[in-house]
Amino acid sequence: MAEDITRPFVFRVEIAPEQVDAIAPRLREALAASGNDGEITRRATAVAEREEKLRHDQEELDRRARLLSEREAELTSSGEPTASERIRFAERRQYIELSEHEVESREHDLLHREAEFEADVLLREDRMERWRLERRERDLASYVDQLQGTVTSGDPLPSPPGITELRRSA
């Protein structure tokens, strides 16, 4: 019997899965009566975790607010552009320089084409003038031949060059 006193009493209960739903409310009541139903412990743990997360988030917000106020003070105190502004200015300057180079190149090409066009027009005008002069020269040579023929043969004088052409075209 001395052995029975020193050993703790163990009581085993086997519950079938079908009976869990029936016994669960009674088990909760028993645990609640003893003050340890597990729900309080879970809630306390959840509250503690949320408080820790809230404290961490507040520290992060404070840190960011400090950084923001430092940057604002930096920007208002100095009249110099920030690094990002200097980078943007450099990129814009490079873009403008490339654009200027492209405009100059196009202007050069345009002037070259214009010079070619003017030279072509002048060449055509020179050809037309040469053609007119050669024609006039032929007409005058023909008129001189006619005059010489008239003087030697005694025929009436021919009309000057250009007049017969007008009569033909009319």
Side-chain angles (χ1 to χ4, degrees):
M1 213 155 180
E3 289 182 6
D4 291 335
I5 297 172
T6 58
R7 261 195 201 170
F9 178 70
V10 176
F11 182 70
R12 284 193 183 166
V13 177
E14 289 188 22
I15 302 171
E18 305 87 39
Q19 297 172 343
V20 169
D21 290 335
I23 206 167
R26 289 187 187 154
L27 185 59
R28 275 194 210 109
E29 287 175 12
L31 288 173
S34 69
N36 189 11
D37 64 352
E39 183 67 26
I40 294 173
T41 307
R42 281 193 299 275
R43 285 184 180 179
T45 304
V47 168
E49 288 172 356
R50 286 182 186 162
E51 285 177 349
E52 179 62 27
K53 185 179 182 311
L54 181 63
R55 187 187 60 74
H56 179 70
D57 289 347
Q58 186 62 40
E59 288 175 358
E60 180 65 21
L61 285 174
D62 291 342
R63 185 185 68 80
R64 286 184 179 185
R66 255 192 335 273
L67 289 174
L68 182 61
S69 62
E70 288 172 3
R71 288 180 71 192
E72 285 176 347
E74 217 178 89
L75 290 174
T76 57
S77 67
S78 70
E80 295 180 17
T82 62
S84 62
E85 289 174 332
R86 285 192 297 256
I87 290 170
R88 273 197 319 265
F89 291 152
E91 288 173 350
R92 286 181 186 165
R93 185 179 321 116
Q94 183 181 13
Y95 175 76
I96 289 171
E97 287 173 358
L98 288 174
S99 297
E100 286 177 351
H101 178 69
E102 185 178 337
V103 166
E104 288 173 359
S105 174
R106 286 183 179 182
E107 182 181 15
H108 176 72
D109 291 344
L110 182 63
L111 289 174
H112 183 72
R113 283 195 315 225
E114 184 179 357
E116 285 178 349
F117 179 75
E118 287 179 12
D120 187 46
V121 168
L122 288 174
L123 286 173
R124 287 179 186 202
E125 286 177 353
D126 285 348
R127 273 191 245 143
M128 295 275 296
E129 186 64 28
R130 202 171 327 124
W131 179 75
R132 283 188 210 117
L133 288 174
E134 288 172 356
R135 185 172 171 200
R136 184 75 176 152
E137 188 178 323
R138 280 193 312 269
D139 289 346
L140 285 175
S142 171
Y143 181 67
V144 168
D145 286 343
Q146 287 175 3
L147 281 177
Q148 286 176 350
T150 306
V151 170
T152 55
S153 66
D155 293 334
L157 290 174
S159 58
I163 295 179
T164 55
E165 294 170 3
L166 287 177
R167 287 186 190 149
R168 279 189 228 150
S169 64

Coordinates of all heavy atoms in Angstrom, one line a residue, residues 39-113:
E39 N -8.0 29.6 -24.1 CA -8.4 30.8 -25.0 C -7.7 32.0 -24.4 O -7.2 32.8 -25.2 CB -9.9 30.9 -25.0 CG -10.4 32.0 -25.8 CD -10.2 31.8 -27.3 OE1 -10.1 30.6 -27.8 OE2 -10.1 32.8 -28.0
I40 N -7.7 32.1 -23.1 CA -7.1 33.3 -22.5 C -5.6 33.4 -22.8 O -5.0 34.4 -23.1 CB -7.3 33.3 -21.0 CG1 -8.8 33.5 -20.7 CG2 -6.5 34.4 -20.3 CD1 -9.2 33.3 -19.2
T41 N -4.9 32.2 -22.8 CA -3.5 32.1 -23.1 C -3.3 32.5 -24.5 O -2.3 33.3 -24.8 CB -3.0 30.7 -22.8 OG1 -3.3 30.3 -21.5 CG2 -1.5 30.6 -22.9
R42 N -4.1 32.0 -25.4 CA -3.9 32.3 -26.8 C -4.1 33.8 -27.1 O -3.4 34.5 -27.8 CB -4.9 31.5 -27.7 CG -4.4 30.1 -27.9 CD -5.3 29.4 -29.0 NE -6.7 29.3 -28.7 CZ -7.2 28.4 -27.9 NH1 -6.5 27.4 -27.5 NH2 -8.5 28.4 -27.7
R43 N -5.1 34.4 -26.4 CA -5.4 35.8 -26.6 C -4.3 36.7 -26.0 O -3.9 37.7 -26.6 CB -6.7 36.2 -26.0 CG -7.9 35.7 -26.8 CD -9.2 36.2 -26.2 NE -10.3 35.7 -27.0 CZ -11.6 36.0 -26.6 NH1 -11.9 36.7 -25.6 NH2 -12.6 35.5 -27.4
A44 N -3.8 36.3 -24.9 CA -2.7 37.0 -24.3 C -1.5 37.0 -25.2 O -0.8 38.0 -25.3 CB -2.4 36.5 -22.9
T45 N -1.2 35.8 -25.7 CA 0.0 35.7 -26.6 C -0.2 36.6 -27.9 O 0.7 37.3 -28.3 CB 0.2 34.2 -27.1 OG1 0.3 33.4 -25.9 CG2 1.4 34.1 -27.9
A46 N -1.4 36.6 -28.4 CA -1.7 37.4 -29.6 C -1.6 38.9 -29.3 O -1.0 39.6 -30.1 CB -3.1 37.0 -30.2
V47 N -2.1 39.3 -28.2 CA -2.0 40.7 -27.8 C -0.5 41.1 -27.6 O -0.1 42.2 -28.0 CB -2.8 41.0 -26.5 CG1 -2.5 42.3 -25.9 CG2 -4.3 40.9 -26.8
A48 N 0.2 40.3 -27.0 CA 1.7 40.6 -26.8 C 2.4 40.7 -28.1 O 3.2 41.6 -28.3 CB 2.3 39.5 -25.9
E49 N 2.1 39.8 -29.1 CA 2.7 39.9 -30.4 C 2.3 41.1 -31.1 O 3.1 41.8 -31.7 CB 2.3 38.6 -31.2 CG 2.9 37.3 -30.8 CD 2.3 36.1 -31.5 OE1 1.4 36.3 -32.3 OE2 2.8 35.0 -31.2
R50 N 1.0 41.5 -31.0 CA 0.6 42.7 -31.6 C 1.2 44.0 -31.0 O 1.6 44.9 -31.7 CB -1.0 42.8 -31.6 CG -1.7 41.9 -32.5 CD -3.2 42.1 -32.4 NE -3.9 41.1 -33.2 CZ -5.1 40.7 -33.0 NH1 -5.9 41.4 -32.1 NH2 -5.7 39.8 -33.8
E51 N 1.3 44.0 -29.7 CA 2.0 45.1 -29.0 C 3.4 45.2 -29.5 O 3.9 46.3 -29.7 CB 1.9 45.0 -27.5 CG 0.5 45.2 -27.0 CD 0.5 45.0 -25.5 OE1 1.4 44.4 -24.9 OE2 -0.5 45.4 -24.9
E52 N 4.1 44.1 -29.6 CA 5.5 44.1 -30.1 C 5.6 44.6 -31.5 O 6.5 45.5 -31.9 CB 6.1 42.7 -30.0 CG 7.6 42.6 -30.5 CD 8.5 43.5 -29.7 OE1 8.3 43.7 -28.5 OE2 9.6 43.9 -30.2
K53 N 4.7 44.2 -32.4 CA 4.7 44.6 -33.8 C 4.4 46.1 -33.8 O 5.0 46.9 -34.6 CB 3.7 43.9 -34.6 CG 3.7 44.2 -36.1 CD 2.7 43.4 -36.8 CE 2.7 43.7 -38.3 NZ 2.6 45.0 -38.7
L54 N 3.4 46.6 -33.0 CA 3.1 48.0 -33.0 C 4.2 48.8 -32.5 O 4.5 49.9 -33.1 CB 1.9 48.2 -32.0 CG 1.3 49.6 -31.9 CD1 0.8 50.1 -33.2 CD2 0.2 49.7 -30.9
R55 N 5.0 48.4 -31.5 CA 6.1 49.1 -31.0 C 7.2 49.2 -32.1 O 7.8 50.3 -32.3 CB 6.7 48.4 -29.8 CG 7.8 49.2 -29.1 CD 8.5 48.4 -28.0 NE 9.1 47.1 -28.4 CZ 10.2 47.0 -29.1 NH1 10.9 48.1 -29.4 NH2 10.7 45.9 -29.5
H56 N 7.4 48.1 -32.8 CA 8.4 48.1 -33.9 C 8.0 49.0 -35.0 O 8.8 49.8 -35.6 CB 8.6 46.6 -34.4 CG 9.5 46.5 -35.6 ND1 10.9 46.7 -35.4 CD2 9.3 46.2 -36.9 CE1 11.5 46.5 -36.6 NE2 10.5 46.3 -37.5
D57 N 6.7 49.0 -35.4 CA 6.2 49.9 -36.5 C 6.3 51.3 -36.1 O 6.7 52.2 -36.9 CB 4.7 49.5 -36.8 CG 4.6 48.2 -37.5 OD1 5.6 47.7 -38.0 OD2 3.4 47.7 -37.6
Q58 N 6.1 51.6 -34.8 CA 6.2 53.0 -34.3 C 7.6 53.5 -34.4 O 7.9 54.6 -34.8 CB 5.6 53.1 -32.9 CG 5.6 54.5 -32.3 CD 4.7 55.4 -33.2 OE1 3.6 55.0 -33.6 NE2 5.1 56.6 -33.4
E59 N 8.6 52.6 -34.0 CA 10.0 53.0 -34.1 C 10.4 53.2 -35.5 O 11.1 54.2 -35.8 CB 10.9 51.8 -33.5 CG 10.8 51.7 -32.0 CD 11.6 50.5 -31.5 OE1 12.1 49.7 -32.3 OE2 11.6 50.3 -30.3
E60 N 9.9 52.4 -36.5 CA 10.2 52.6 -37.9 C 9.6 53.9 -38.4 O 10.2 54.7 -39.2 CB 9.6 51.4 -38.7 CG 9.9 51.5 -40.2 CD 11.3 51.4 -40.6 OE1 12.2 50.9 -39.8 OE2 11.6 51.9 -41.7
L61 N 8.4 54.2 -38.0 CA 7.7 55.5 -38.4 C 8.5 56.7 -37.8 O 8.7 57.7 -38.5 CB 6.3 55.6 -37.9 CG 5.3 54.7 -38.7 CD1 3.9 54.8 -38.0 CD2 5.2 55.2 -40.1
D62 N 9.0 56.6 -36.6 CA 9.8 57.7 -36.0 C 11.1 57.9 -36.7 O 11.5 59.0 -37.0 CB 10.1 57.4 -34.5 CG 8.8 57.5 -33.6 OD1 7.8 58.1 -34.1 OD2 8.9 56.9 -32.5
R63 N 11.7 56.7 -37.1 CA 13.0 56.8 -37.9 C 12.8 57.5 -39.2 O 13.5 58.4 -39.6 CB 13.6 55.4 -38.1 CG 14.9 55.4 -38.7 CD 15.4 54.0 -39.0 NE 14.6 53.3 -40.0 CZ 14.8 53.5 -41.3 NH1 15.7 54.3 -41.8 NH2 14.0 52.8 -42.2
R64 N 11.7 57.1 -39.9 CA 11.4 57.7 -41.2 C 11.1 59.2 -41.1 O 11.4 60.0 -42.0 CB 10.3 56.9 -41.9 CG 10.7 55.6 -42.4 CD 9.6 54.9 -43.1 NE 9.9 53.6 -43.7 CZ 9.2 52.9 -44.4 NH1 7.9 53.3 -44.7 NH2 9.6 51.7 -44.9
A65 N 10.3 59.5 -40.1 CA 10.0 60.9 -39.9 C 11.2 61.8 -39.6 O 11.4 62.9 -40.1 CB 9.0 61.1 -38.7
R66 N 12.2 61.2 -38.9 CA 13.5 61.9 -38.6 C 14.2 62.1 -39.9 O 14.7 63.2 -40.2 CB 14.3 61.1 -37.6 CG 14.4 61.7 -36.3 CD 15.5 61.0 -35.4 NE 15.9 59.7 -35.7 CZ 15.3 58.5 -35.3 NH1 14.2 58.6 -34.5 NH2 15.7 57.4 -35.6
L67 N 14.3 61.0 -40.7 CA 15.0 61.1 -42.0 C 14.3 62.2 -42.9 O 15.0 62.9 -43.6 CB 15.0 59.8 -42.7 CG 15.9 58.7 -42.1 CD1 15.8 57.4 -42.8 CD2 17.4 59.2 -42.2
L68 N 13.0 62.2 -43.0 CA 12.3 63.1 -43.8 C 12.5 64.5 -43.4 O 12.8 65.4 -44.2 CB 10.8 62.8 -43.8 CG 9.9 63.6 -44.6 CD1 10.3 63.5 -46.1 CD2 8.4 63.2 -44.5
S69 N 12.5 64.8 -42.1 CA 12.7 66.1 -41.6 C 14.1 66.6 -41.9 O 14.4 67.7 -42.2 CB 12.4 66.3 -40.1 OG 13.2 65.4 -39.3
E70 N 15.1 65.6 -41.8 CA 16.5 66.0 -42.1 C 16.6 66.3 -43.6 O 17.3 67.3 -43.9 CB 17.4 64.8 -41.8 CG 17.6 64.6 -40.3 CD 18.4 63.3 -40.0 OE1 18.8 62.6 -41.0 OE2 18.6 62.9 -38.8
R71 N 16.0 65.6 -44.4 CA 16.1 65.9 -45.9 C 15.4 67.2 -46.2 O 15.9 68.0 -47.0 CB 15.4 64.7 -46.7 CG 16.3 63.5 -46.7 CD 15.7 62.3 -47.4 NE 15.8 62.6 -48.9 CZ 15.1 61.9 -49.8 NH1 14.4 60.9 -49.4 NH2 15.2 62.2 -51.0
E72 N 14.2 67.5 -45.6 CA 13.6 68.7 -45.8 C 14.4 69.9 -45.4 O 14.5 70.9 -46.1 CB 12.2 68.8 -45.1 CG 11.1 67.9 -45.7 CD 9.9 67.9 -44.9 OE1 9.9 68.4 -43.7 OE2 8.8 67.5 -45.4
A73 N 15.1 69.7 -44.2 CA 16.0 70.8 -43.7 C 17.1 71.0 -44.7 O 17.6 72.1 -44.9 CB 16.5 70.5 -42.3
E74 N 17.7 69.9 -45.2 CA 18.8 69.9 -46.1 C 18.4 70.7 -47.4 O 19.1 71.5 -47.9 CB 19.2 68.5 -46.5 CG 20.6 68.3 -46.7 CD 20.9 66.8 -46.9 OE1 20.9 66.4 -48.1 OE2 21.1 66.1 -46.0
L75 N 17.2 70.4 -47.9 CA 16.7 71.0 -49.1 C 16.4 72.5 -49.0 O 16.7 73.3 -49.9 CB 15.5 70.2 -49.7 CG 15.7 68.8 -50.2 CD1 14.4 68.2 -50.6 CD2 16.6 68.9 -51.5
T76 N 15.8 72.8 -47.9 CA 15.5 74.2 -47.7 C 16.7 75.1 -47.3 O 16.8 76.3 -47.7 CB 14.5 74.4 -46.5 OG1 15.0 73.8 -45.3 CG2 13.1 73.8 -46.9
S77 N 17.7 74.5 -46.7 CA 18.9 75.3 -46.3 C 19.9 75.5 -47.5 O 20.5 76.5 -47.5 CB 19.6 74.6 -45.1 OG 20.2 73.4 -45.5
S78 N 20.0 74.6 -48.4 CA 20.9 74.7 -49.5 C 20.2 75.1 -50.8 O 19.2 74.5 -51.1 CB 21.8 73.4 -49.6 OG 20.9 72.4 -50.2
G79 N 20.8 76.0 -51.5 CA 20.3 76.4 -52.8 C 20.8 75.6 -53.9 O 20.4 75.8 -55.0
E80 N 21.7 74.7 -53.6 CA 22.3 73.9 -54.6 C 21.4 72.7 -55.0 O 20.6 72.2 -54.2 CB 23.6 73.3 -54.1 CG 24.7 74.3 -53.9 CD 26.0 73.7 -53.4 OE1 26.2 72.5 -53.5 OE2 26.8 74.4 -52.8
P81 N 21.5 72.3 -56.3 CA 20.6 71.2 -56.7 C 21.0 69.9 -56.0 O 22.2 69.7 -55.7 CB 20.8 71.1 -58.2 CG 22.0 71.8 -58.5 CD 22.2 72.8 -57.4
T82 N 20.1 69.0 -55.9 CA 20.4 67.7 -55.3 C 21.1 66.8 -56.3 O 21.2 67.2 -57.5 CB 19.1 67.0 -54.8 OG1 18.3 66.8 -55.9 CG2 18.4 67.8 -53.8
A83 N 21.5 65.7 -55.9 CA 22.2 64.8 -56.8 C 21.3 64.3 -57.9 O 21.7 64.2 -59.0 CB 22.8 63.6 -56.0
S84 N 20.1 64.0 -57.5 CA 19.2 63.5 -58.6 C 18.9 64.6 -59.6 O 18.7 64.4 -60.8 CB 17.9 63.0 -58.0 OG 17.2 64.0 -57.3
E85 N 18.8 65.9 -59.1 CA 18.6 67.0 -60.0 C 19.8 67.2 -60.9 O 19.6 67.5 -62.1 CB 18.3 68.3 -59.2 CG 16.9 68.3 -58.6 CD 16.7 69.5 -57.7 OE1 17.7 70.1 -57.1 OE2 15.6 69.9 -57.5
R86 N 21.0 67.1 -60.3 CA 22.2 67.2 -61.2 C 22.2 66.1 -62.2 O 22.6 66.4 -63.4 CB 23.4 67.1 -60.3 CG 23.7 68.4 -59.5 CD 25.1 68.4 -58.8 NE 25.2 67.3 -57.9 CZ 25.2 67.5 -56.6 NH1 25.0 68.6 -56.1 NH2 25.3 66.4 -55.8
I87 N 21.8 64.9 -61.9 CA 21.8 63.8 -62.9 C 20.8 64.2 -64.0 O 21.1 64.0 -65.2 CB 21.5 62.5 -62.2 CG1 22.6 62.0 -61.3 CG2 21.1 61.4 -63.2 CD1 22.3 60.9 -60.4
R88 N 19.6 64.6 -63.6 CA 18.6 65.0 -64.6 C 19.1 66.1 -65.5 O 18.9 66.1 -66.7 CB 17.3 65.4 -63.9 CG 16.4 64.3 -63.6 CD 15.0 64.8 -63.3 NE 14.9 66.0 -62.5 CZ 14.7 66.0 -61.2 NH1 14.6 64.9 -60.5 NH2 14.6 67.1 -60.5
F89 N 19.8 67.1 -64.9 CA 20.3 68.2 -65.7 C 21.4 67.7 -66.7 O 21.4 68.2 -67.8 CB 20.9 69.3 -64.8 CG 19.9 70.1 -64.0 CD1 20.3 70.6 -62.7 CD2 18.6 70.3 -64.4 CE1 19.4 71.3 -62.0 CE2 17.7 71.0 -63.7 CZ 18.1 71.5 -62.4
A90 N 22.2 66.8 -66.2 CA 23.2 66.3 -67.1 C 22.6 65.5 -68.3 O 23.0 65.6 -69.4 CB 24.2 65.4 -66.3
E91 N 21.6 64.7 -67.9 CA 20.9 64.0 -69.0 C 20.2 64.9 -70.0 O 20.3 64.7 -71.2 CB 19.9 63.0 -68.4 CG 20.5 61.8 -67.7 CD 19.4 61.0 -66.9 OE1 18.3 61.5 -66.8 OE2 19.8 59.9 -66.4
R92 N 19.6 66.0 -69.5 CA 19.0 66.9 -70.4 C 20.0 67.6 -71.3 O 19.8 67.9 -72.4 CB 18.2 68.0 -69.6 CG 16.9 67.4 -69.0 CD 16.2 68.5 -68.2 NE 15.0 67.9 -67.6 CZ 14.3 68.6 -66.6 NH1 14.7 69.7 -66.2 NH2 13.3 68.0 -66.1
R93 N 21.1 68.0 -70.6 CA 22.2 68.7 -71.4 C 22.7 67.8 -72.5 O 22.9 68.2 -73.7 CB 23.4 69.1 -70.5 CG 24.4 69.9 -71.2 CD 25.6 70.3 -70.3 NE 25.2 70.7 -68.9 CZ 25.6 70.0 -67.8 NH1 26.3 68.9 -67.9 NH2 25.2 70.4 -66.7
Q94 N 22.9 66.5 -72.2 CA 23.4 65.5 -73.2 C 22.3 65.4 -74.3 O 22.7 65.4 -75.5 CB 23.6 64.2 -72.6 CG 24.2 63.2 -73.5 CD 24.4 61.8 -72.9 OE1 24.0 61.6 -71.7 NE2 25.1 60.9 -73.5
Y95 N 21.0 65.3 -74.0 CA 20.0 65.2 -75.0 C 19.9 66.5 -75.9 O 19.8 66.3 -77.1 CB 18.6 65.0 -74.3 CG 17.4 65.0 -75.2 CD1 17.2 63.9 -76.0 CD2 16.6 66.1 -75.3 CE1 16.1 63.9 -76.8 CE2 15.5 66.1 -76.2 CZ 15.3 65.0 -76.9 OH 14.2 65.0 -77.8
I96 N 20.1 67.6 -75.2 CA 20.1 68.9 -76.0 C 21.3 68.9 -77.0 O 21.2 69.3 -78.1 CB 20.1 70.1 -75.1 CG1 18.7 70.2 -74.4 CG2 20.4 71.4 -75.8 CD1 18.6 71.2 -73.3
E97 N 22.5 68.5 -76.5 CA 23.6 68.5 -77.3 C 23.5 67.6 -78.5 O 23.8 67.9 -79.7 CB 24.9 68.1 -76.5 CG 25.3 69.2 -75.6 CD 26.5 68.7 -74.6 OE1 26.9 67.6 -74.7 OE2 26.9 69.6 -73.8
L98 N 22.9 66.4 -78.3 CA 22.6 65.5 -79.4 C 21.6 66.0 -80.3 O 21.8 65.9 -81.6 CB 22.1 64.1 -78.8 CG 23.1 63.3 -78.1 CD1 22.5 62.0 -77.5 CD2 24.2 62.8 -79.0
S99 N 20.6 66.7 -79.8 CA 19.6 67.3 -80.7 C 20.2 68.4 -81.5 O 19.9 68.6 -82.7 CB 18.5 67.9 -79.8 OG 17.8 66.9 -79.2
E100 N 21.1 69.3 -80.9 CA 21.7 70.3 -81.6 C 22.6 69.8 -82.7 O 22.6 70.3 -83.9 CB 22.6 71.2 -80.7 CG 21.8 72.1 -79.8 CD 22.7 72.9 -78.8 OE1 23.9 72.6 -78.7 OE2 22.1 73.8 -78.2
H101 N 23.3 68.7 -82.4 CA 24.2 68.0 -83.4 C 23.3 67.5 -84.6 O 23.7 67.7 -85.8 CB 25.0 66.9 -82.8 CG 25.8 66.2 -83.8 ND1 27.0 66.7 -84.4 CD2 25.7 64.9 -84.3 CE1 27.5 65.9 -85.2 NE2 26.8 64.8 -85.2
E102 N 22.2 66.9 -84.3 CA 21.3 66.4 -85.3 C 20.7 67.5 -86.2 O 20.7 67.4 -87.4 CB 20.2 65.6 -84.7 CG 19.2 64.9 -85.7 CD 18.2 64.1 -85.0 OE1 18.3 63.7 -83.8 OE2 17.1 63.9 -85.6
V103 N 20.4 68.7 -85.5 CA 19.8 69.8 -86.3 C 20.9 70.4 -87.2 O 20.7 70.7 -88.4 CB 19.3 70.9 -85.3 CG1 19.1 72.2 -86.0 CG2 18.0 70.4 -84.6
E104 N 22.1 70.5 -86.7 CA 23.2 71.0 -87.5 C 23.5 70.0 -88.7 O 23.7 70.5 -89.8 CB 24.5 71.1 -86.7 CG 24.5 72.3 -85.7 CD 25.7 72.3 -84.8 OE1 26.5 71.4 -84.9 OE2 25.8 73.2 -83.9
S105 N 23.4 68.8 -88.5 CA 23.6 67.8 -89.5 C 22.5 67.9 -90.6 O 22.8 67.9 -91.8 CB 23.7 66.4 -88.9 OG 23.7 65.4 -90.0
R106 N 21.3 68.0 -90.1 CA 20.2 68.2 -91.1 C 20.3 69.5 -91.8 O 20.0 69.5 -93.0 CB 18.9 68.1 -90.3 CG 18.5 66.7 -89.8 CD 17.1 66.7 -89.2 NE 16.8 65.4 -88.7 CZ 15.6 65.1 -88.2 NH1 14.7 66.1 -88.0 NH2 15.3 63.9 -87.8
E107 N 20.7 70.5 -91.1 CA 20.9 71.8 -91.8 C 21.9 71.7 -92.9 O 21.8 72.3 -94.0 CB 21.2 72.9 -90.8 CG 21.3 74.3 -91.4 CD 21.7 75.3 -90.3 OE1 22.2 75.0 -89.2 OE2 21.6 76.5 -90.6
H108 N 23.0 71.1 -92.6 CA 24.1 70.9 -93.5 C 23.6 70.1 -94.7 O 23.9 70.5 -95.9 CB 25.3 70.2 -92.9 CG 26.4 69.9 -93.8 ND1 27.3 70.9 -94.3 CD2 26.8 68.7 -94.4 CE1 28.1 70.3 -95.1 NE2 27.9 69.0 -95.2
D109 N 22.9 69.0 -94.5 CA 22.3 68.2 -95.6 C 21.4 69.0 -96.4 O 21.4 69.0 -97.7 CB 21.6 67.0 -95.0 CG 22.5 66.0 -94.4 OD1 23.8 66.1 -94.7 OD2 22.0 65.1 -93.7
L110 N 20.5 69.9 -95.8 CA 19.6 70.7 -96.5 C 20.3 71.7 -97.4 O 19.9 71.9 -98.5 CB 18.6 71.4 -95.5 CG 17.5 72.2 -96.1 CD1 16.6 71.4 -96.9 CD2 16.8 73.0 -95.0
L111 N 21.3 72.4 -96.8 CA 22.1 73.3 -97.6 C 22.8 72.7 -98.8 O 22.8 73.2 -99.9 CB 23.1 74.0 -96.7 CG 22.6 75.0 -95.7 CD1 23.7 75.5 -94.8 CD2 21.8 76.2 -96.4
H112 N 23.3 71.5 -98.6 CA 23.9 70.7 -99.6 C 22.9 70.4 -100.8 O 23.2 70.6 -101.9 CB 24.5 69.4 -99.1 CG 25.3 68.6 -100.1 ND1 26.5 69.0 -100.6 CD2 25.0 67.5 -100.7 CE1 26.9 68.1 -101.5 NE2 26.0 67.2 -101.5
R113 N 21.7 69.9 -100.4 CA 20.7 69.6 -101.4 C 20.2 70.9 -102.1 O 20.0 70.8 -103.3 CB 19.5 68.9 -100.7 CG 19.7 67.5 -100.4 CD 18.5 66.8 -100.1 NE 17.6 67.5 -99.2 CZ 17.0 67.0 -98.1 NH1 17.1 65.8 -97.8 NH2 16.2 67.8 -97.3

